[in-house]
Amino acid sequence: MRPAEAAPRAGGRAAGTTGVPPARAGAPARHQRTAPVHPGAWWLWALALGTAATRTTNPLLLALLVTVSAYVVITRRPQAPWARSYGAFVKLALAVLLVRLLFTTLLGSPIPGTHTLLTLPEVPLPDWAQGIRLGGRVTAEGLAFALYDAMKLATLLICVGAANALANPARLLKSLPGALYEMGVAVVVALTFAPNLIADVQRLRAARRLRGRPDRGLRGLLQVGLPVLEGALERSVALAAAMDARGYGRTAQLPAAVRRTTAALTLGGLLGVCAGTYGLLTAAGGTYGIPVLLAGVAAAVAGLWLGGRRTVRTRYRPDRWDARAWLVTGSGAAVAALLFLAAARDPAALHPGVVPLRAPALPLGPAAAVLLGLLPSFVTPAPEPAVKEPS
Amino acid sequence: MIRFEDVSVTYDGAAEPTVRAVDFAVPEGELVLLAGPSGVGKSTVLGAVGGLVPHFTGGTLRGRVTVAGRDTRTHKPRELADVVGTVGQDPLSHFVTDTVEDELAYGMESLGLAPDVMRRRVEETLDLLGLSDLRSRPIATLSGGQRQRVAIGSVLTPHPEVLVLDEPTSALDPAAAEEVLAVLQRLVHDLGTTVLMAEHRLERVIQYADQVVLLPAPGAAPLIGAPAEVMAVSPVYPPVVDLGRLAGWTPLPLTIRDARRRAAPLRERLSGREVPDRTPPPSAPLPAPPAPRPVTPRWRRRRKPSERITSPTPYAAEVCSLAVRRDRVQALRHVDLTVSPGETVALMGRNGAGKSTLLSALVGLVEPSAGSVRAGDAVPHRTAPRDLVRRVGLVPQEPRDLLYADMVAAECAAADQDAEATPGTCRALLTELLPGVPDDTHPRDLSEGQRLTLALSVVLTARPPLLLLDEPTRGLDYAAKARLAGILRALAAEGHAIVLATHDVELAAELAHRVVLLAEGEVIADGPAADVVVASPSYAPQVAKVLAPRKWLTVAQVREALA
């Protein structure tokens, strides 16, 4: 810390700062954080890959999409608690696959098939349950169809997981407009609340063992419920006090006219959006739907912008939408667009038939398009190396 | 800078004011220590500075509190945020964001400072508090001392003129506490910040204070003066002051250095006397706990019946080359430890050295990844909880975790039932350990000391031969600590083996027969208390530092020798 920079408050204090030794002037600038990519870019990239996945049921293409997103996640995810959610999303995707296959096996499939794998005993159902089958023939074609279909959903889930792992959800909320900031903080606090609650439950269940009561089972969980909730409530009150003491909710004085205009614009805008959407969805309102919707959106945006003037807060190192963010978003968008194009021009390659059953082929053009999604792992900075965590 | 004018605070529903006739002023650039026994309203006084009392807590504040010329009656806490920075007892409940750098910036963002100013101040604060290597770390992964420094840093960045701290070092190991205090010292000296702080561990902070505000008893008017004058009459005092009072030194020494300068005659007087021996007398073993009931095997986990060791063991606890991994971190590696009946062992070491993990392994909360653990005749993680409570008991860091009921009486009845003891055992124990805890109070409303004693009675109801305590003196004042020491000494004399994990060197000096130092999950020293603590500057108690090189550890020993 150089004296000229230090203590810009009072002149008299700056003199005292010269006594502070220069902090590691010779140390390498190891703390120069390369600015992370805008979290919005990661979300757009991941959602674009997910959109691309909805265009195809080719298992090879879907597997390629999953591999591409997994590769980027593994090479680019930061060492942070939120990045660990990727594993949970992968497990969820696998569960979706299994459940879909299980249901096809039990309830049968509408796909006509000739390759019978096994025949389950069929449960006779009454007349009113016509169209539903329990048990019966399980065909390879039916299973393949269910697998392709479930893989589409699983891929979509894994892509959302990738977005969660690559971008800190709290940083994404920081990019909200000023008027929505306080709501954003509430969401962030809620997000950190859940891990704390889980830690509390684990600690209290362990404490039950110390009392000589079984620490497993549902009853144990129920009995710690009340103390856990009490603790959580106390913590939220303490946090609210801390936030208040640190200036949360300080507002600027605005003229009454501006405040009223803000309220009118926001309310009117929301009403407009509602009416416009109604118009779009009903047959009669085809003419006025779109203009009313657009006017509503415009009014709401203006209201938000005016409302943002009420908060005095500023932003520390906001994430910038730079060239890398464009490249990340662009690569995702390109994958999505090319798959849309391919789906229109060669639907057979992207939707391999199951009747008759045959091995799906990998269409080279779309596969190359999917590989474009790897671009982020080359243009974004590598995450910081892992650190040892204290227990 | 801070002015209290005849302030009294009455909380809603309380008959008496919590603090009364508080009237003092803190000039700019001073470090003022707020001292007193627990429950005298120190936190209330601190809260009144930032306006959290009464704006946030409710209640009535009479009189007037002004900070930098602003009346807290007309200014809400958020409007004082630019002049007062407040850090509460638990830094975790203070954090709003999830990384260090964002946390430092949060307060400035709320105040609407310009981005370039924010950037510069974050860099300055990172350097000032030695946090630059941690800047992008998630807060959840920091250690206790690092969290405390981040919490202080997060209120420093808006450049408040006043800093208010509630027990900033209580949860920290001696080295981390010194780190935090050095930072405060630097702020006061270099930046002219005014600091008002409350702390129970006076031995750590008294030498830094310019003034002491003493709240001697609940509702009593505070006493204000220079530290040496106030300590002469205070009901709470660090060991060095106790020694000074015993030797009749005036003015009272507050630092080791002052005391050593005057201690030559005392050392001379003590030179002929024997330092009392600390080895525990061989004690009759406690009655053996009843044999465990046969465990009905669960379909999931297969237990090997041959695990039970039938041969009697001379040790209350035996740990052999124990290794434990927790969340991909090697918490313990190759730890050996034995504890005999009647022996008191203090486990010491930095935050995160593995003390709590070792205690958890002894009660079977964590499974060893290698090596073996035995508590008496049982292998803890393979024993059913209701059998284990008669062999080993743990009072956790937060005694409240052990308490579920809404009344003390119900809690005691539940403890009798859990331990299958005769009804009334727990209540009788509680009355014996600490008379005057009412039956119908909610455990939450007890004082820290009362709650700890209740948890201790609950654990002792099953009469475990091995008693473990994790950080028992956190939040206790000197009187409660002395009472706890008396209880534990009596239990050890009865034949209980006691293991304490603690940062409190004075407590270890008072009680322990043996001290075991842990670092990074390994035992780095294990020996008689006097040898281990005197050898290490951060773990030596104040009396040992003053009277070195002889191994006197406590004022009580000196007092006895002189009598």
Side-chain angles (χ1 to χ4, degrees):
Chain A
M1 179 163 54
R2 283 172 294 285
E5 285 178 358
R9 266 189 294 168
R13 279 177 194 156
T17 329
T18 44
V20 180
R24 293 190 210 109
R30 124 182 76 164
H31 55 242
Q32 270 188 355
R33 175 170 81 170
T34 34
V37 180
H38 196 287
W42 282 123
W43 271 95
L44 287 176
W45 170 82
L47 289 180
L49 287 193
T51 315
T54 60
R55 289 298 98 195
T56 174
T57 52
N58 187 325
L60 296 176
L61 269 183
L62 288 172
L64 192 63
L65 267 172
V66 170
T67 318
V68 163
S69 72
Y71 178 77
V72 174
V73 166
I74 287 164
T75 52
R76 287 298 173 260
R77 76 167 155 183
Q79 290 290 326
W82 65 83
R84 291 181 198 150
S85 62
Y86 188 65
F89 275 95
V90 171
K91 281 181 200 155
L92 186 66
L94 284 179
V96 164
L97 273 184
L98 283 179
V99 167
R100 182 76 163 83
L101 288 180
L102 195 73
F103 269 72
T104 310
T105 313
L106 289 182
L107 299 179
S109 161
I111 303 294
T114 48
H115 298 75
T116 306
L117 291 179
L118 74 160
T119 309
L120 291 178
E122 191 166 342
V123 182
L125 289 177
D127 282 348
W128 49 262
Q130 225 174 11
I132 302 177
R133 206 182 69 187
L134 261 183
R137 260 170 4 107
V138 180
T139 61
E141 287 89 345
L143 279 185
F145 180 78
L147 181 74
Y148 294 177
D149 208 35
M151 269 185 80
K152 196 160 82 174
L153 187 55
T155 310
L156 196 59
L157 276 171
I158 289 179
C159 286
V160 173
N164 260 310
L166 289 165
N168 183 351
R171 284 199 80 83
L172 185 63
L173 286 166
K174 273 184 87 175
S175 315
L176 285 176
L180 296 180
Y181 159 77
E182 304 199 353
M183 203 185 71
V185 170
V187 175
V188 171
V189 169
L191 282 179
T192 54
F193 200 70
N196 284 335
L197 210 63
I198 292 168
D200 274 3
V201 170
Q202 285 170 345
R203 211 185 62 232
L204 284 168
R205 290 186 80 181
R208 279 178 58 81
R209 188 177 166 86
L210 303 177
R211 286 288 296 259
R213 304 177 191 184
D215 55 345
R216 288 164 216 280
L218 191 62
R219 246 183 80 204
L221 195 63
L222 288 179
Q223 281 192 350
V224 298
L226 200 60
V228 164
L229 283 182
E230 269 176 19
L233 265 178
E234 269 168 37
R235 207 179 11 237
S236 10
V237 171
L239 180 64
M243 284 170 67
D244 203 5
R246 292 171 70 187
Y248 174 74
R250 277 164 78 110
T251 49
Q253 290 301 320
L254 283 185
V258 175
R259 268 182 285 147
R260 277 192 220 111
T261 319
T262 310
L265 277 176
T266 317
L267 261 182
L270 287 179
L271 275 178
V273 169
C274 289
T277 320
Y278 178 78
L280 273 185
L281 295 179
T282 50
T287 47
Y288 69 85
I290 291 178
V292 170
L293 183 67
L294 287 181
V297 168
V301 167
L304 278 180
W305 176 77
L306 260 185
R309 287 179 49 185
R310 219 174 132 249
T311 55
V312 291
R313 55 173 292 110
T314 45
R315 279 192 198 143
Y316 173 73
R317 296 180 85 177
D319 289 308
R320 293 191 196 293
W321 192 275
D322 52 7
R324 287 174 310 173
W326 280 118
L327 280 175
V328 170
T329 318
S331 75
V335 174
L338 287 174
L339 279 200
F340 263 90
L341 201 66
R345 291 179 58 185
D346 186 11
L350 268 64
H351 296 276
V354 290
V355 185
L357 196 63
R358 58 157 189 253
L362 183 67
L364 285 180
V370 168
L371 286 179
L372 275 181
L374 284 175
L375 190 64
S377 70
F378 300 105
V379 298
T380 61
E384 289 181 21
V387 281
K388 181 192 172 273
E389 290 167 17
S391 57
Chain B
M1 186 54 64
I2 311 171
R3 271 201 81 77
F4 278 78
E5 293 169 53
D6 195 26
V7 173
S8 70
V9 178
T10 314
Y11 286 116
D12 294 336
E16 293 276 298
T18 308
V19 290
R20 187 181 284 162
V22 180
D23 197 300
F24 65 91
V26 180
E28 188 185 325
E30 285 212 347
L31 194 155
V32 175
L33 177 66
L34 193 60
S38 354
V40 291
K42 293 193 292 294
S43 297
T44 304
V45 171
L46 293 183
V49 177
L52 288 175
V53 176
H55 288 295
F56 216 88
T57 56
T60 319
L61 185 139
R62 280 173 221 290
R64 180 204 292 270
V65 182
T66 46
V67 184
R70 294 189 207 170
D71 191 337
T72 61
R73 200 184 328 205
T74 51
H75 290 81
K76 286 189 185 149
R78 65 185 77 144
E79 287 149 19
L80 292 165
D82 51 338
V83 287
V84 183
T86 309
V87 181
Q89 285 186 12
D90 179 14
L92 259 193
S93 61
H94 171 94
F95 297 133
V96 184
T97 63
D98 50 9
T99 60
V100 171
E101 201 175 347
D102 289 343
E103 190 63 34
L104 293 184
Y106 177 78
M108 295 188 289
E109 288 183 328
S110 313
L111 297 180
L113 296 182
D116 54 332
V117 176
M118 288 200 277
R119 187 64 204 271
R120 194 178 61 221
R121 289 195 188 169
V122 166
E123 300 299 331
E124 284 167 17
T125 311
L126 285 172
D127 281 342
L128 182 69
L129 301 186
L131 292 170
S132 39
D133 294 342
L134 308 173
R135 63 188 303 155
S136 47
R137 283 270 292 275
I139 284 170
T141 64
L142 300 182
S143 76
Q146 291 169 337
R147 279 178 191 166
Q148 191 74 50
R149 279 186 290 153
V150 172
I152 293 178
S154 71
V155 298
L156 272 184
T157 45
H159 282 187
E161 292 164 54
V162 175
L163 207 53
V164 176
L165 306 162
D166 200 351
E167 306 241 1
T169 74
S170 281
L172 304 184
D173 62 76
E178 266 165 34
E179 220 169 77
V180 168
L181 289 168
V183 165
L184 291 180
Q185 177 93 339
R186 197 161 165 190
L187 293 176
V188 171
H189 284 220
D190 292 349
L191 301 180
T193 312
T194 310
V195 177
L196 178 64
M197 75 169 149
E199 180 62 70
H200 274 310
R201 302 212 175 151
L202 294 177
E203 65 269 18
R204 287 180 173 177
V205 294
I206 188 83
Q207 68 262 38
Y208 299 108
D210 296 307
Q211 256 196 92
V212 174
V213 175
L214 172 73
L215 293 164
L223 206 71
I224 297 121
E229 291 163 28
V230 174
M231 280 302 118
V233 293
S234 163
V236 288
Y237 42 81
V240 67
V241 168
D242 197 10
L243 192 70
R245 286 187 185 182
L246 177 70
W249 295 328
T250 48
L252 279 173
L254 298 177
T255 60
I256 304 298
R257 191 158 173 255
D258 287 350
R260 270 195 78 84
R261 284 184 184 162
R262 305 222 189 94
L266 180 65
R267 280 200 292 261
E268 200 127 305
R269 272 168 75 194
L270 287 169
S271 62
R273 294 171 216 245
E274 199 64 14
V275 179
D277 188 26
R278 271 297 186 81
T279 41
S283 56
L286 290 176
R293 282 147 286 210
V295 183
T296 36
R298 296 223 189 136
W299 60 277
R300 264 193 315 158
R301 23 181 63 227
R302 230 191 286 150
R303 286 159 207 258
K304 286 177 233 157
S306 60
E307 283 292 343
R308 182 150 307 288
I309 306 119
T310 42
S311 65
T313 154
Y315 298 115
E318 199 176 358
V319 173
C320 285
S321 38
L322 172 70
V324 173
R325 277 185 82 77
R326 256 183 158 179
D327 300 333
R328 294 183 289 170
V329 175
Q330 190 80 33
L332 290 177
R333 54 192 105 197
H334 210 80
V335 171
D336 290 299
L337 178 74
T338 53
V339 188
S340 313
E343 193 179 31
T344 304
V345 174
L347 286 180
M348 306 190 79
R350 314 187 181 97
N351 294 82
K355 302 184 297 291
S356 297
T357 309
L358 182 53
L359 293 190
S360 303
L362 279 168
V363 284
L365 290 180
V366 295
E367 219 166 296
S369 49
S372 73
V373 183
R374 278 175 69 190
D377 60 346
V379 178
H381 62 277
R382 292 222 169 82
T383 310
R386 56 184 183 165
D387 293 317
L388 197 66
V389 284
R390 289 145 192 244
R391 288 166 175 77
V392 48
L394 169 70
V395 180
Q397 211 167 76
E398 183 57 73
R400 228 164 73 181
D401 292 354
L402 269 193
L403 310 173
Y404 305 103
D406 53 0
M407 276 198 307
V408 172
E411 202 64 72
C412 286
D416 291 336
Q417 208 183 348
D418 289 338
E420 295 172 27
T422 36
T425 315
C426 178
R427 181 65 233 192
L429 263 168
L430 179 61
T431 317
E432 189 190 323
L433 297 181
L434 184 68
V437 179
D439 254 342
D440 54 353
T441 317
H442 195 290
R444 191 182 47 220
D445 297 332
L446 298 175
S447 73
E448 294 277 350
Q450 287 175 326
R451 207 179 299 138
L452 178 71
T453 318
L454 176 59
L456 188 59
S457 319
V458 164
V459 166
L460 284 176
T461 305
R463 314 239 22 109
L466 175 61
L467 179 63
L468 315 172
L469 297 110
D470 195 355
E471 213 57 65
T473 56
R474 188 176 178 176
L476 295 193
D477 59 12
Y478 288 100
K481 231 158 86 171
R483 210 177 301 114
L484 176 74
I487 294 171
L488 293 183
R489 210 174 283 128
L491 287 172
E494 270 176 41
H496 287 274
I498 299 176
V499 181
L500 309 158
T502 184
H503 292 314
D504 190 336
V505 291
E506 304 297 337
L507 179 84
E510 192 87 20
L511 280 177
H513 301 120
R514 245 168 74 208
V515 169
V516 174
L517 279 186
L518 290 175
E520 306 216 307
E522 289 173 59
V523 173
I524 55 163
D526 179 357
D531 296 345
V532 175
V533 296
V534 169
S536 144
S538 30
Y539 290 103
Q542 290 197 311
V543 174
K545 284 182 185 164
V546 172
L547 299 178
R550 302 278 318 269
K551 291 169 181 172
W552 298 96
L553 293 185
T554 63
V555 183
Q557 285 178 344
V558 176
R559 188 174 285 131
E560 223 167 88
L562 290 179

